[in-house]
Amino acid sequence: MNRNAILALLGVVLLGFVPFVMDDFFINLTSQILCYALFAVSLNLIVGYGGMTSLGHAAYFGIAAYGVTWLHTVAGWGQLSSAIGAVAVATFTAAVFGVLALRASGLSFLMITLALGQIVWGVAYRWVGLTQGDNGMRFPVRPEPLGFNINGATSFYYFSLIVFVVSVYIIWRVVQSPFGAGLRGTKDQPRRMRMLGHNVWMIRWVAFIMSGFWAAIAGLLFVYYQKFVSPYTVSLQQSAEVLLMTILGGAGTLTGPMVGAVIVTLVKNVASSYVERWNALLGLIFVLAVVFMPTGLVPGFRKLWKRRTAPPPASTPALTAKPSTEHAS
Amino acid sequence: MQFWLIQTLNSIAFGGLLFLLSSGFSLIFGLMRMPNLAHGAFFMLGAYFGATFMNWGINFWIAALMAGLVVGGLGIVLERGLLRKLAGNAQGQVLVTLGVSFIIADVCLMVWTGDPVPVPAPQWARAPTFFIGYAFPTYRLVVLGVAVVAAVLLYILMERTRLGAMIRAGVDDMEMARGVGIRVSLLFMMVFLLGAALAGLGGTIGGPIMQAYPGLDQDMLPLALVVVILGGVGSLLGAFVGSFAVGFIYNFGTALFPDFAYVILFLPMVAVLVLMPQGLFAGARQ
Amino acid sequence: MSAAALEISGLSKSFGGLHVTRDVSMRVAPGERRLIIGPNGAGKTTLFNQITGDLKPDRGSIRLFGEEMVSLKTQNRIAKGLARTYQILTLFPHDTLLHNVVLSLLGLRKERWDCWRTLARRTDLFDLAAQALAQVGLSEGGDRLVGETSYGERRRLELAMALAQKPKLLLLDEPLAGLSQDERNSVSALLTTIPRDVTIIMIEHDMDVALAFAEQITVLHFGEVIVEGTRAEVVADPRTREIYLGE
């Protein structure tokens, strides 16, 4: 067992103790953070590892939230089948949008994802017959997974924690796998990757779909927590917020987006009790983060840490002894 | 018949408005290789400023020019103050413009509140114009006139002046432009000033049709994106054609299928992406 | 007669009015060492780019061991046994030398779609990568990041990545570019150790090394094949002199 695995286990254990030391307000806040952290980790799969910056990621998150609500309350499906159906629809949308967005790369990719995300927003906002427009939709009752009641703050927290840990573990495996190595390769040198026999387009598309799938899982958590979904959930602000989490914490690291989610969610909650609106602050953090911390907090601190612990950079063998573990922590 | 005629005129007028918005967006994208995501916010600011200036009793046209200048000045501040620090990091620049757009939107909400602010049209343009037996809203014709004048002036600027030649050189090949001694940093500033000012002017001109309201920025930005995706990056002609195409699609879409206006708007974009994978983006060089 | 390793016929490509490849035809026998020379802008790298599929030719055919390649995507050509090194190094600078070679190995393996097993634990792949590195004289220090290595080592890594795939046809685009004289000698010695079941086409400006290495030479000028033949024929041909010594 290596150092990272031990740290990860320690983190999960600590998170498990949260309900014992905090009141319901903070337990709920932590549930919310877990949901956004999973959302940000899902986005990081394409932004951090694949080098594809998307400004439309709220689409899949929101489609899952709307989908499960519509299927359950309007179509009358059961909880489990609604959840599966919603994730399937969101993932399928990601597959279709991925085909369109991957016609381009770089900033054109960003523009197309933004435009596609706005279509989803337009449907949520304007197609009142389907989505109830600006009023949003209620999701009346949380499901009872395996017969457990998750209505209380603590039980819902543990539910979120289990979903979060399992999801992040799977994503981590993907990042460490040969496919993950290929994905990172396409970020730096797409042309070379092709020249080595890799199907760059397919790698990116698969990553895009995976990313949409995990965003959809986060979207389920979101609607179970809020019991409400509105066009804001699929808005450009929501997409920007999750991108900010990813970049602020450090894209391309597993912990970065989580740290970003913690900070952004805390600031948002604290700020909303003092100021009426959060958008200006979101914008300001965005500008500051991009200008002063282009690589994000986690890589920044790691660099500082290395500088403190390692003497002059004449030799840096220990840190790179194992191939490609540096992406893990 | 009246319906179709009026909707056609509305579409053309809206297309003209989109041209004011997206010509600058397209030039900035073409030259600086980045979509300025604050462009919708610039347009909204222009509408709010125009309304405020007119409230002070300033004449419509002067108010529109002033709004253009103020927003243009803001564009310079954004370019000089922030984007320049991130030279070479196009993605960072885009994210900064997005952050700035959120800040502008929130400040507008604080200053002008959440209620829509009407922007009055000039007195003489409020009565309808009668032509071959039909009544046409005069102001839409005015908007079209402004767009055409702007297009002609931009064309002259781009094709007949030194500045225009330098901009074209920069859009075509930045390294080459640098190589022949063009001061690229000055060029960036000029194009940002021009683009932002056009958006601000467009905001006031569009005000009597659309009003100034929170969210106007996010209604307009995707339209500019679609125009540029259709018309190509950095091309004035592309922006012109794309604007009127989008004007028609959006206007008729809203009139005929209000629930799906947004989806219909993006369909041609999807078609272009599927049919011409590189075609329309070829100029951007990413 | 067995199929040629590479058979190009009637290949043409132009950008706007600029003809970068004009009706190029050439035939390279299996196991051959072929050198392509020509002044800057002769269209040598452009020719490579069309063979690999980075560029789509306007006309013509490219056959690899008898099989038509023109409509195949790059990655599918690689799967048929083509490999290439670049004149301008294109490596993965934030990864280790071993990891670079492993990416190359994965390119030809189904496991590249494996989303579950940890790559770092695939000792079989890393052992193969270490062998490929040893083959180019980099048996030590394969766990260093590419960013920390010298230019000469990176050139060798380029070669290792191509050789690891055990290609049937190897395209070398100026494998000696930017190397010191000592390094040139050792890398060119390395090239001679590549087994004969690999056919090699090389672009190189260092005439001493290149002429010693090549059996057949093709001279390109303005996208056109001007002279082709054995070393002696090409050197003796007045048109070669004309191109190199100026008209």
Side-chain angles (χ1 to χ4, degrees):
Chain A
M1 221 182 196
N2 63 26
R3 197 175 56 107
N4 289 327
I6 294 169
L7 281 176
L9 213 66
L10 198 70
V12 173
V13 170
L14 279 178
L15 281 172
F17 277 109
V18 162
F20 294 101
V21 291
M22 289 183 180
D23 61 15
D24 276 7
F25 175 80
F26 280 102
I27 295 171
N28 278 330
L29 188 61
T30 317
S31 298
Q32 210 181 325
I33 289 174
L34 288 175
C35 162
Y36 282 116
L38 178 57
F39 190 16
V41 169
S42 81
L43 176 62
N44 186 37
L45 210 47
I46 54 172
V47 173
Y49 298 107
M52 299 173 269
T53 307
S54 162
L55 259 177
H57 212 54
Y60 322 111
F61 181 79
I63 287 174
Y66 267 110
V68 72
T69 309
W70 192 88
L71 287 173
H72 187 57
T73 61
V74 181
W77 290 20
Q79 286 279 12
L80 183 63
S81 40
S82 300
I84 294 173
V87 173
V89 170
T91 310
F92 178 74
T93 311
V96 174
F97 283 8
V99 170
L100 297 172
L102 287 171
R103 290 282 180 177
S105 59
L107 292 180
S108 301
F109 174 88
L110 180 145
M111 266 175 66
I112 297 171
T113 54
L114 193 163
L116 291 169
Q118 289 303 102
I119 299 185
V120 176
W121 177 83
V123 169
Y125 189 69
R126 298 266 178 91
W127 192 355
V128 179
L130 182 76
T131 64
Q132 297 172 27
D134 213 12
N135 293 327
M137 296 176 89
R138 308 211 128 272
F139 186 82
V141 189
R142 283 175 187 165
E144 293 190 357
L146 306 172
F148 287 102
N149 180 327
I150 55 169
N151 279 317
T154 304
S155 54
F156 186 76
Y157 172 78
Y158 281 120
F159 171 73
S160 303
L161 184 59
I162 290 168
V163 172
F164 175 80
V165 169
V166 170
S167 306
V168 169
Y169 175 70
I170 296 175
I171 294 173
W172 176 74
R173 293 294 300 233
V174 170
V175 168
Q176 296 296 308
S177 73
F179 175 78
L183 179 62
R184 272 182 278 122
T186 62
K187 177 186 178 184
D188 290 337
Q189 298 278 13
R191 211 171 139 216
R192 183 54 185 255
M193 286 298 282
R194 236 169 258 134
M195 204 55 235
L196 294 175
H198 293 270
N199 186 338
V200 170
W201 189 90
M202 189 61 81
I203 290 175
R204 286 178 171 162
W205 191 53
V206 169
F208 195 92
I209 295 172
M210 285 180 175
S211 174
F213 172 82
W214 293 112
I217 299 289
L220 283 186
L221 278 185
F222 171 82
V223 78
Y224 290 160
Y225 172 79
Q226 294 274 351
K227 299 181 183 167
F228 177 71
V229 55
S230 72
Y232 183 84
T233 314
V234 289
S235 65
L236 177 58
Q237 278 96 331
Q238 184 66 77
S239 289
E241 212 174 285
V242 67
L243 183 60
L244 174 63
M245 292 173 188
T246 309
I247 290 174
L248 179 68
T253 61
L254 197 71
T255 43
M258 300 181 200
V259 172
V262 171
I263 293 173
V264 171
T265 312
L266 284 181
V267 171
K268 189 176 166 180
N269 274 277
V270 172
S272 61
S273 51
Y274 292 100
V275 293
E276 210 175 321
R277 286 171 293 266
W278 142 251
N279 270 353
L281 200 57
L282 171 71
L284 193 66
I285 300 177
F286 227 119
V287 172
L288 293 178
V290 172
V291 173
F292 294 108
M293 284 179 302
T295 57
L297 287 169
V298 169
F301 277 116
R302 203 178 291 161
K303 208 181 274 173
L304 269 181
W305 181 251
K306 272 186 194 174
R307 215 176 290 157
R308 276 193 46 178
T309 50
S315 64
T316 46
L319 294 165
T320 56
K322 270 243 156 162
S324 77
T325 43
E326 75 267 20
H327 296 281
S329 52
Chain B
M1 191 62 193
Q2 175 86 14
F3 169 82
W4 294 99
L5 272 177
I6 295 293
Q7 286 304 332
T8 303
L9 177 61
N10 285 355
S11 304
I12 296 176
F14 193 59
L17 209 53
L18 284 179
F19 177 74
L20 293 178
L21 174 76
S22 49
S23 52
F25 182 79
S26 181
L27 284 182
I28 292 173
F29 198 165
L31 191 70
M32 301 178 67
R33 312 266 185 266
M34 54 154 283
N36 168 30
L37 297 185
H39 221 70
F42 284 166
F43 184 89
M44 178 170 75
L45 263 184
Y48 276 123
F49 276 127
T52 302
F53 293 150
M54 278 180 254
N55 253 343
W56 295 347
I58 296 172
N59 166 285
F60 178 86
W61 297 107
I62 305 208
L65 288 178
M66 281 170 61
L69 278 181
V70 173
V71 176
L74 206 73
I76 290 188
V77 172
L78 172 62
E79 202 277 320
R80 288 252 135 168
L82 285 172
L83 299 183
R84 186 150 302 189
K85 292 198 193 333
L86 295 167
N89 173 8
Q91 181 177 311
Q93 292 181 326
V94 176
L95 298 178
V96 162
T97 62
L98 182 68
V100 167
S101 80
F102 286 158
I103 297 174
I104 292 177
D106 226 16
V107 170
C108 284
L109 200 56
M110 280 177 223
V111 175
W112 285 283
T113 74
D115 299 321
V117 177
V119 184
Q123 194 72 49
W124 56 269
R126 286 179 202 167
T129 301
F130 289 95
F131 183 64
I132 51 171
Y134 293 105
F136 291 99
T138 309
Y139 187 71
R140 313 266 164 166
L141 297 169
V142 173
V143 171
L144 180 61
V146 173
V148 169
V149 169
V152 170
L153 288 179
L154 271 177
Y155 177 82
I156 293 172
L157 172 80
M158 290 293 283
E159 301 294 328
R160 298 286 157 81
T161 67
R162 234 178 90 75
L163 178 65
M166 290 195 290
I167 293 174
R168 277 183 290 131
V171 170
D172 281 347
D173 190 335
M174 184 56 72
E175 287 316 307
M176 189 74 92
R178 236 184 267 274
V180 298
I182 292 175
R183 281 183 57 199
V184 172
S185 84
L186 189 68
L187 207 55
F188 281 2
M189 198 182 85
M190 298 299 287
V191 166
F192 229 89
L193 166 69
L194 184 68
L198 276 170
L201 178 78
T204 308
I205 300 288
I209 298 176
M210 314 192 65
Q211 297 192 318
Y213 60 91
L216 177 60
D217 55 336
Q218 290 196 22
D219 284 347
M220 296 309 281
L221 177 64
L223 296 177
L225 285 179
V226 175
V227 167
V228 169
I229 289 172
L230 288 178
V233 171
S235 150
L236 214 51
L237 182 67
F240 193 77
V241 174
S243 295
F244 287 102
V246 171
F248 268 90
I249 295 164
Y250 187 67
N251 203 58
F252 275 98
T254 315
L256 297 173
F257 315 97
D259 283 359
F260 299 100
Y262 240 69
V263 179
I264 291 170
L265 168 66
F266 285 93
L267 283 180
M269 178 192 90
V270 170
V272 163
L273 289 174
V274 171
L275 298 175
M276 289 180 267
Q278 287 142 13
L280 298 180
F281 278 112
R285 294 197 198 89
Q286 293 151 12
Chain C
M1 193 183 88
S2 68
L6 179 74
E7 177 149 20
I8 296 174
S9 57
L11 200 71
S12 295
K13 173 79 189 172
S14 56
F15 294 112
L18 187 65
H19 298 276
V20 287
T21 305
R22 297 177 197 231
D23 196 25
V24 166
S25 298
M26 66 194 282
R27 190 187 148 87
V28 181
E32 193 181 311
R33 266 70 179 130
R34 170 72 61 104
L35 176 68
I36 297 181
I37 57 173
N40 280 331
K44 303 180 297 273
T45 298
T46 314
L47 181 63
F48 269 20
N49 285 341
Q50 290 171 81
I51 298 172
T52 59
D54 281 345
L55 263 183
K56 207 177 154 56
D58 299 333
R59 270 188 311 285
S61 114
I62 299 168
R63 286 168 184 278
L64 191 68
F65 293 96
E67 201 178 340
E68 182 57 65
M69 295 273 125
V70 158
S71 55
L72 289 187
K73 295 210 165 82
T74 299
Q75 66 262 22
N76 299 330
R77 300 185 193 198
I78 304 309
K80 305 273 183 202
L82 179 68
R84 175 208 179 144
T85 68
Y86 283 91
Q87 173 192 358
I88 297 161
L89 294 168
T90 45
L91 299 163
F92 303 92
H94 310 296
D95 291 306
T96 63
L97 302 187
L98 281 165
H99 187 93
N100 270 261
V101 182
V102 165
L103 275 179
S104 166
L105 290 167
L106 281 174
L108 291 183
R109 283 159 199 264
K110 285 258 178 296
E111 297 112 286
R112 65 180 185 271
W113 296 112
D114 180 348
C115 293
W116 189 251
R117 278 177 296 172
T118 305
L119 180 62
R121 297 222 183 99
R122 292 293 306 272
T123 44
D124 53 334
L125 289 177
F126 280 90
D127 287 348
L128 279 175
Q131 282 170 28
L133 285 176
Q135 199 184 344
V136 298
L138 289 172
S139 33
E140 296 296 316
D143 51 7
R144 285 171 302 157
L145 299 181
V146 172
E148 298 166 358
T149 56
S150 73
Y151 188 79
E153 287 172 312
R154 292 181 205 182
R155 274 264 164 245
R156 287 164 186 267
L157 175 60
E158 275 271 350
L159 214 52
M161 286 167 75
L163 289 175
Q165 297 195 326
K166 307 224 177 304
K168 290 192 270 182
L169 174 63
L170 175 58
L171 308 180
L172 301 174
D173 194 348
E174 299 198 34
L176 307 178
L179 295 181
S180 71
Q181 194 55 52
D182 282 354
E183 286 170 326
R184 273 160 192 263
N185 293 337
S186 74
V187 170
S188 58
L190 192 90
L191 291 179
T192 59
T193 66
I194 297 173
R196 276 285 163 168
D197 52 6
V198 182
T199 309
I200 298 179
I201 304 178
M202 176 163 83
I203 298 173
E204 185 50 61
H205 282 302
D206 183 329
M207 283 304 148
D208 295 339
V209 174
L211 291 178
F213 176 77
E215 290 141 358
Q216 298 280 320
I217 298 174
T218 302
V219 184
L220 279 184
H221 191 37
F222 291 126
E224 225 170 335
V225 176
I226 302 293
V227 188
E228 188 168 79
T230 63
R231 202 180 319 174
E233 285 165 3
V234 169
V235 171
D237 196 299
R239 286 169 299 181
T240 311
R241 286 161 188 276
E242 201 177 297
I243 289 166
Y244 273 91
L245 302 176
E247 284 106 313

